[in-house]
Amino acid sequence: MKLNQISAMFSHAKSRRNNRTLFGAALTALLSMPVVAAEPATDAQQSDTSEIEVITVKGIFGSLKAANLIKRTDDRIVDAIVAEDIGKLPDNNIAEALQRVTGVSIGTDFGVGESVTIRGVSENLILLNGRSTAGSGRGGIGLDDFPSSFLKTVEVIKSPTPDMIEGALGGTINMETIRPLELTEPLVAITLDGEYSDKTENTAPNLSLGIGHNWDLGDAGTFGASANIAYLDRELRRDEYFNKVDLQDNIDIDGNGTVDDSGGPNGKYLRRTQTTVEQKTEQRERTAYGISLQWAPVSEEVNIYLDLNATKLDGGQSAYSILDVGGSSVARSDSYYDGNGQLHNYDLDGVLVIPKTWSDFTTSDTTSNAIGGDWFITDDIELSAEYSLSTSKEKQTANEFNLRPIERTDPTLDLVTHTSTGSSTTGNGIPAYMYADPGMLTNPDNLVFREFFHKTLETDNEEQALRFDLKISDVGVDWISAVKVGVRFTERDFTANRYDLKPVNGNTTLKDSYKKAVNADGLYSPIWTDNPLLTDSFKTVNMSNSFDQTGIAGLNDMLTYNVYDSDLLQNTEATYALVQQILQDTSYAMTGSLADNIVEDNGAYKEINEKTGAIYAQLHLEFDELTAVFGGRYIQTELESSVVASVDANGNRMLETGKNDYSDFLPSLNVTYTLTDETLIRFAAAKVMRRANFSELSPALSIDNSLVTGTQGSYQLEPYRVTQYDLSVEHYFDNGGIISAALFYKDVNSFTQTDSSCLADPSTIEGQNTTEWSNVCLLDTAGQSQGNVNFATEAQGLGYVNAEKSAGRTGIVVDTDVNGGSGEVRGLELAYQQQLTFLPGFWAGFGVNANYTYADSEQPDGNPLLNISKNTANGQLYWENEQLQFRLAYNWRDRYLYSQAEKRVQTVGTLGYNVFNQNDPTADNFDATVGNNYREARGQFDFSASWDINEHFTLVGNVVNLTGEPIEYTTELGSVWKYSESDRRYTFGVRAKF
């Protein structure tokens, strides 16, 4: 069957409701064919399809044109990505492919797409063949965890219908795999790629294999089976350079006795301190498989299927973090203020360095399994049923081996911290930074073992779902083309737990052991890094390609450092044994194995059970040129969130459970008006909801190792609730072209926002780390928690904070999620696509695909919503013929609010108070913008090419981030505080299809 015939099927189908099913089967059939070409139509077909375009589903243009056909024939407002061939989406990563879609932007980790925002909203839902998936959180499986080679289409559904699963505020992403009974012939597809990453200089194998066939069993019907397997083992690196930024009173920078005006807010200038370099390497091994079985009787009145999908991730991250803290600002002869009031070219007198080695290893197993079927009771009545089970189990093992700058001495009670003067000089790229003592990070006379941390985090997320759907295609009313009703029941169980190494008296970590562990004489006797116990475990790091995208303004001593080898730290047992030797003759001597000294953190235990029941009804209406889908979905949610209240004598947890039940009615309307044969006008309105993330629903308290910050949720959180409206115009023209425009508006009725407080905890007196004293909150009264979050001033400094800590008047800054006010998102989408076949000869192979999105948003506090760029643009210019394909893609988005209450910039706001107060508008020095962290505007080029050697073999290649564009983060006042860059990735490989 060729697509001229398929298009005719769409044209003459009784209603649009059949188009999606027809197109899915047709698309799979065409993708499985070795060669696709348009055949001459018969006279009858010619008359039926005189105005129907012929689509060749092969290559870039075929993919874009097929995506347009999905968009055109769907009742909803939908965009789609269609595989260019079996096992080949337009990009090697699902998220990176989705960023080409109008209104979609992506989030990256190590330069790899992992999540998306749709129309600026990140609370979206990821489905697999229309059913929910499980990941570590609420939204579903990570888009970088599921192989793109398994998919034939990915839909971005922006306007829901009542039969869709609730939980998406921006949109729903539905990934569709090939069904075996859709295959017209046996299929074997193989892809073998090598991916080179330029920072790690590592080449990663990427293999995928897909096979499928169906068999005619005679009177027993037809049976089909397909299987996919994918394997990836990559290594990536991310380099980051960042500072703490605060505001200080204007100073005399030229030494003439007059205080200079910085031009900054409230008579203050911006100062960068706490310079930090982090160079982190990620190794990720992914193995995934998918199996689909399908059976239909001869009558084809029944369709029964079994889908099994699983992904296993093994990998870890190893990092070196070099932190420079303390010091007082000293102006130089070349010091100056920029237009933002930021001071450049100055010294920090009295800084100390804290080198850290981090390592974590994560294993994750996710599954999505389903059994279901469709029964055509009559030609007009269809009953569908499905049971699905989705699971996600994750275990993260994290280690930290830290040093401290202590001057070499005999055992003593008077350890001397080694400090120096750091000189910062601004230029192109990250600032130059030099120490008066060039051996600050390499001289073993000044570096001792400080502490070793180990923790294990475990999460378990499981969802069972059962649904029944009934569709009646003929109810005896001409203008009602179909009625659909259904129910869905789910039960979700989520648990999270934490285990820590606490070998000191069974309840204390090794924090600051260099100044707490004493020898037999009661003296501190730390181990310097040239001790024979350590010399073989340390390495000097100086990576030749550090910050080669951002650039470096001059020499930087922080890029050469002597640290514990991160590869060794990944072996937790061996590192534990080493630390055991370091501390063996001290008061912190450890007995027993690592496992013997692991303590469960019952305070961090989370257990959540969530039951939902949904019922829906929808009508499909047809009035000549106007069609509509109208109806509603009613959902009840029952939540139980448990924490550990106590532990009995036998070690059993005694849980305390909070309950929250609520219900939602979600009406929706999708209307399509056919203005002409080529032009559609659509209108949609809907109420949607999204339940809070599991971490936000548990009152369990999670506190960092330094006892400085923590987070806490609440089971009483109501879900996000949004009312949305869409209006769009789509004009389709010759040879697969489209030009479209859409207006959208979202009224967010129940925001979740973060409130901060200062928690009193007796453990801070002995265990709190005050090295970064400016981040430690101060209590008015010892032992009493308070809502106001106050910090020490520059004049008070470290000594004052330590004195307050000894008096019990320092606390832990705890961020708690609460329901807030309302806000809105409004915007515009424009899209254009055309194959330039009107050009002569060679030039007719060119095509263009471009889109633009404008989005404006506002939170209750006046800030924009997170992750929403006002302006986003995507463009693809491609050329192809029967054998060759070339594509250059560009993605750009402007500045957007990336995070709030960001620790390193938490006192920087528009009003210049240098006080962190964003919670209470009635309090002194309130500023809703303090702590705002923006990601600056950035564009990225990607390039891909392929050569079809013959009908069976294709060579492929692509480059991600072709020009090596870094990322910059800025404060509310526009000053850069963080630089980040990751690998360029080059891929070359071969695809085979038989």
Side-chain angles (χ1 to χ4, degrees):
M1 180 182 294
K2 306 306 180 190
L3 272 188
N4 56 344
Q5 298 167 293
I6 296 167
S7 298
M9 291 168 58
F10 293 130
S11 177
H12 296 292
K14 182 175 180 181
S15 71
R16 291 176 180 268
R17 71 184 186 276
N18 296 313
N19 288 343
R20 180 180 173 187
T21 303
L22 292 172
F23 184 78
L27 177 63
T28 302
L30 287 166
L31 287 174
S32 65
M33 294 178 181
V35 177
V36 179
E39 290 183 349
T42 65
D43 292 340
Q45 292 168 344
Q46 187 67 45
S47 62
D48 287 343
T49 63
S50 58
E51 298 184 15
I52 299 296
E53 301 172 29
V54 178
I55 301 176
T56 302
V57 188
K58 187 173 177 64
I60 301 171
F61 178 55
S63 168
L64 294 173
K65 197 170 184 182
N68 274 351
L69 188 55
I70 292 177
K71 180 181 182 70
R72 185 174 187 174
T73 57
D74 203 294
D75 290 309
R76 304 160 300 183
I77 297 177
V78 171
D79 287 288
I81 299 170
V82 176
E84 296 172 6
D85 205 342
I86 285 289
K88 187 183 185 305
L89 284 184
D91 294 82
N92 291 335
N93 170 288
I94 298 171
E96 290 168 5
L98 285 170
Q99 72 179 324
R100 319 296 176 198
V101 170
T102 309
V104 175
S105 299
I106 68 169
T108 62
D109 188 28
F110 287 83
V112 178
E114 65 164 0
S115 61
V116 300
T117 60
I118 301 175
R119 292 175 166 175
V121 180
S122 57
E123 289 79 13
N124 304 303
L125 191 62
I126 299 173
L127 306 180
L128 180 62
N129 293 322
R131 59 178 172 271
S132 57
T133 60
S136 58
R138 171 73 72 180
I141 191 171
L143 292 175
D144 56 336
D145 293 339
F146 196 85
S148 62
S149 59
F150 286 13
L151 304 178
K152 66 177 181 183
T153 60
V154 183
E155 296 175 320
V156 180
I157 305 164
K158 300 174 181 177
S159 64
T161 49
D163 60 341
M164 292 175 55
I165 300 171
E166 73 281 355
L169 301 184
T172 298
I173 297 169
N174 183 34
M175 307 182 295
E176 292 195 346
T177 59
I178 293 173
R179 290 290 192 192
L181 290 188
E182 296 172 346
L183 297 171
T184 58
E185 58 186 18
L187 171 70
V188 178
I190 305 170
T191 301
L192 177 60
D193 294 334
E195 181 186 77
Y196 175 78
S197 304
D198 69 345
K199 282 193 173 292
T200 60
E201 299 179 346
N202 175 74
T203 300
N206 189 356
L207 169 69
S208 66
L209 169 66
I211 58 175
H213 190 28
N214 51 59
W215 296 268
D216 185 346
L217 305 179
D219 293 340
T222 306
F223 174 77
S226 63
N228 295 274
I229 187 168
Y231 176 80
L232 171 67
D233 187 5
R234 66 155 51 113
E235 186 175 286
L236 303 169
R237 196 179 90 220
R238 182 176 65 212
D239 295 343
E240 293 188 324
Y241 187 97
F242 52 98
N243 295 93
K244 175 183 173 63
V245 179
D246 58 8
L247 288 153
Q248 298 296 316
D249 291 333
N250 287 342
I251 59 174
D252 175 15
I253 63 172
D254 55 14
N256 65 358
T258 302
V259 173
D260 296 284
D261 183 6
S262 68
N266 205 25
K268 293 183 172 63
Y269 72 90
L270 287 160
R271 180 188 66 162
R272 289 192 293 205
T273 60
Q274 295 189 16
T275 301
T276 306
V277 171
E278 284 188 4
Q279 297 185 285
K280 182 178 288 188
T281 300
E282 179 183 76
Q283 187 276 329
R284 173 174 291 201
E285 183 180 19
R286 182 193 69 196
T287 305
Y289 74 83
I291 297 173
S292 182
L293 307 177
Q294 196 175 10
W295 175 82
V298 175
S299 65
E300 298 184 352
E301 293 176 348
V302 174
N303 166 46
I304 297 175
Y305 59 86
L306 173 67
D307 289 344
L308 305 172
N309 291 277
T311 300
K312 181 177 178 60
L313 296 175
D314 288 293
Q317 298 179 354
S318 57
Y320 301 113
S321 175
I322 311 303
L323 171 63
D324 163 304
V325 298
S328 56
S329 304
V330 179
R332 304 198 308 249
S333 60
D334 60 342
S335 298
Y336 69 94
Y337 295 123
D338 66 15
N340 294 320
Q342 179 161 315
L343 180 65
H344 295 273
N345 303 342
Y346 58 96
D347 294 343
L348 287 171
D349 188 24
V351 296
L352 58 99
V353 295
I354 304 176
K356 299 181 179 181
T357 302
W358 294 345
S359 175
D360 66 63
F361 188 84
T362 302
T363 60
S364 173
D365 293 279
T366 61
T367 64
S368 177
N369 303 324
I371 185 169
D374 307 305
W375 178 25
F376 293 88
I377 302 173
T378 70
D379 289 343
D380 297 314
I381 301 176
E382 178 185 355
L383 176 65
S384 302
E386 181 184 82
Y387 168 77
S388 63
L389 173 64
S390 298
T391 65
S392 174
K393 296 179 182 293
E394 183 174 286
K395 180 178 181 180
Q396 179 187 16
T397 302
N399 300 320
E400 197 173 317
F401 193 105
N402 300 332
L403 307 180
R404 183 78 178 185
I406 300 297
E407 296 181 356
R408 193 184 295 274
T409 180
D410 293 329
T412 179
L413 287 177
D414 297 312
L415 297 175
V416 178
T417 298
H418 183 70
T419 63
S420 184
T421 297
S423 298
S424 175
T425 303
T426 302
N428 293 325
I430 68 170
Y433 198 78
M434 301 294 292
Y435 291 110
D437 176 6
M440 280 289 284
L441 290 165
T442 55
N443 186 353
D445 286 337
N446 301 322
L447 294 170
V448 303
F449 164 73
R450 178 185 184 182
E451 58 204 359
F452 170 63
F453 293 119
H454 167 77
K455 67 180 178 182
T456 298
L457 305 175
E458 295 180 351
T459 61
D460 193 343
N461 186 6
E462 177 182 290
E463 182 192 65
Q464 299 183 72
L466 177 65
R467 67 179 298 168
F468 296 94
D469 301 274
L470 178 67
K471 181 170 70 175
I472 303 174
S473 301
D474 188 352
V475 295
V477 179
D478 289 343
W479 48 273
I480 300 179
S481 60
V483 175
K484 191 173 182 181
V485 296
V487 295
R488 182 174 184 262
F489 306 97
T490 73
E491 181 169 5
R492 175 93 69 157
D493 290 298
F494 175 87
T495 59
N497 211 355
R498 172 173 172 160
Y499 303 84
D500 291 278
L501 173 65
K502 293 186 175 181
V504 183
N505 302 320
N507 58 12
T508 304
T509 68
L510 296 177
K511 183 177 185 59
D512 283 338
S513 56
Y514 79 100
K515 66 176 183 180
K516 292 182 178 179
V518 296
N519 62 15
D521 298 323
L523 302 175
Y524 303 133
S525 182
I527 298 293
W528 277 262
T529 58
D530 59 352
N531 186 288
L533 285 174
L534 297 179
T535 51
D536 292 339
S537 303
F538 272 65
K539 62 188 290 187
T540 298
V541 176
N542 183 356
M543 300 179 185
S544 61
N545 56 2
S546 296
F547 299 100
D548 56 352
Q549 299 171 13
T550 307
I552 306 174
L555 296 176
N556 196 308
D557 283 340
M558 297 195 73
L559 299 180
T560 303
Y561 43 88
N562 190 248
V563 284
Y564 187 73
D565 192 335
S566 62
D567 291 337
L568 299 178
L569 188 58
Q570 290 186 357
N571 187 335
T572 306
E573 295 283 354
T575 302
Y576 171 81
L578 174 63
V579 174
Q580 206 170 25
Q581 294 182 66
I582 293 173
L583 299 174
Q584 63 182 352
D585 295 322
T586 72
S587 57
Y588 270 29
M590 298 184 292
T591 59
S593 65
L594 173 68
D596 294 334
N597 290 284
I598 297 296
V599 177
E600 184 176 10
D601 184 356
N602 287 308
Y605 180 77
K606 303 178 179 72
E607 183 177 302
I608 295 173
N609 175 264
E610 182 182 84
K611 296 183 176 71
T612 72
I615 183 170
Y616 77 88
Q618 68 184 43
L619 298 176
H620 294 251
L621 310 178
E622 291 192 4
F623 304 94
D624 297 325
E625 286 80 18
L626 187 145
T627 62
V629 178
F630 172 72
R633 186 178 185 91
Y634 178 77
I635 311 109
Q636 287 187 330
T637 303
E638 299 176 2
L639 175 75
E640 293 185 354
S641 180
S642 302
V643 296
V644 176
S646 61
V647 179
D648 66 18
N650 297 318
N652 299 314
R653 302 187 189 102
M654 308 301 292
L655 299 181
E656 180 179 332
T657 301
K659 298 182 179 182
N660 188 20
D661 300 341
Y662 52 88
S663 60
D664 290 89
F665 177 66
L666 307 177
S668 65
L669 171 68
N670 285 265
V671 179
T672 303
Y673 178 70
T674 304
L675 184 64
T676 69
D677 288 343
E678 294 80 24
T679 305
L680 304 178
I681 299 175
R682 299 183 190 267
F683 172 78
K687 287 189 174 182
V688 295
M689 60 87 78
R690 162 76 169 221
R691 301 174 183 91
N693 291 327
F694 300 117
S695 59
E696 298 171 329
L697 289 171
S698 174
L701 182 62
S702 177
I703 300 175
D704 71 348
N705 289 330
S706 298
L707 302 185
V708 173
T709 62
T711 58
Q712 188 173 37
S714 171
Y715 64 86
Q716 295 178 322
L717 277 179
E718 293 290 307
Y720 287 96
R721 294 186 174 99
V722 173
T723 303
Q724 62 182 43
Y725 303 92
D726 299 88
L727 177 65
S728 69
V729 179
E730 302 162 10
H731 176 67
Y732 300 86
F733 53 93
D734 60 293
N735 205 26
I738 179 177
I739 184 168
S740 65
L743 296 172
F744 60 88
Y745 175 81
K746 294 178 183 289
D747 180 11
V748 185
N749 300 315
S750 55
F751 272 101
T752 298
Q753 62 188 38
T754 300
D755 278 353
S756 298
S757 61
C758 190
L759 174 71
D761 191 307
S763 62
T764 58
I765 296 176
E766 292 295 329
Q768 191 173 52
N769 179 8
T770 57
T771 300
E772 297 182 53
W773 56 267
S774 58
N775 297 324
V776 177
C777 67
L778 304 177
L779 297 168
D780 296 336
T781 305
Q784 292 187 14
S785 299
Q786 62 189 46
N788 293 333
V789 181
N790 303 316
F791 301 99
T793 64
E794 182 74 14
Q796 291 170 324
L798 175 62
Y800 177 80
V801 172
N802 281 334
E804 292 295 284
K805 184 180 80 165
S806 299
R809 290 193 294 270
T810 61
I812 301 168
V813 180
V814 176
D815 291 337
T816 304
D817 296 303
V818 297
N819 285 116
S822 60
E824 59 184 15
V825 184
R826 53 193 173 273
L828 164 72
E829 294 176 345
L830 301 173
Y832 164 70
Q833 176 187 311
Q834 187 173 15
Q835 180 79 15
L836 307 182
T837 53
F838 56 87
L839 296 175
F842 166 85
W843 303 101
F846 278 100
V848 62
N849 179 29
N851 59 70
Y852 165 79
T853 303
Y854 171 82
D856 190 20
S857 66
E858 187 175 6
Q859 296 187 54
D861 61 8
N863 284 307
L865 283 170
L866 294 178
N867 300 314
I868 295 185
S869 292
K870 276 199 172 183
N871 300 282
T872 303
N874 293 284
Q876 297 182 74
L877 178 66
Y878 62 89
W879 181 89
E880 63 181 344
N881 63 15
E882 292 182 356
Q883 289 184 301
L884 297 173
Q885 300 174 9
F886 300 94
R887 183 189 64 170
L888 181 65
Y890 183 69
N891 169 262
W892 181 87
R893 60 185 303 191
D894 68 8
R895 187 179 194 237
Y896 63 92
L897 184 60
Y898 184 78
S899 62
Q900 292 181 275
E902 182 69 40
K903 180 179 177 182
R904 287 292 185 101
V905 297
Q906 64 185 2
T907 63
V908 179
T910 302
L911 302 179
Y913 293 132
N914 200 41
V915 174
F916 181 60
N917 183 1
Q918 61 165 189
N919 297 328
D920 184 3
T922 64
D924 293 338
N925 300 325
F926 170 75
D927 186 349
T929 67
V930 291
N932 282 357
N933 168 32
Y934 292 85
R935 205 183 94 162
E936 283 301 295
R938 177 180 181 271
Q940 176 175 306
F941 283 100
D942 300 322
F943 176 76
S944 64
S946 66
W947 172 34
D948 294 331
I949 301 172
N950 54 41
E951 66 181 23
H952 297 299
F953 293 95
T954 300
L955 295 180
V956 295
N958 62 65
V959 185
V960 177
N961 195 9
L962 181 65
T963 56
E965 299 299 324
I967 300 171
E968 291 185 357
Y969 297 86
T970 59
T971 69
E972 179 67 31
L973 298 177
S975 57
V976 179
W977 73 275
K978 183 177 182 179
Y979 303 85
S980 179
E981 60 185 54
S982 302
D983 299 80
R984 270 175 292 203
R985 309 195 317 271
Y986 304 83
T987 301
F988 181 77
V990 60
R991 289 203 319 271
K993 184 177 70 173
F994 306 97

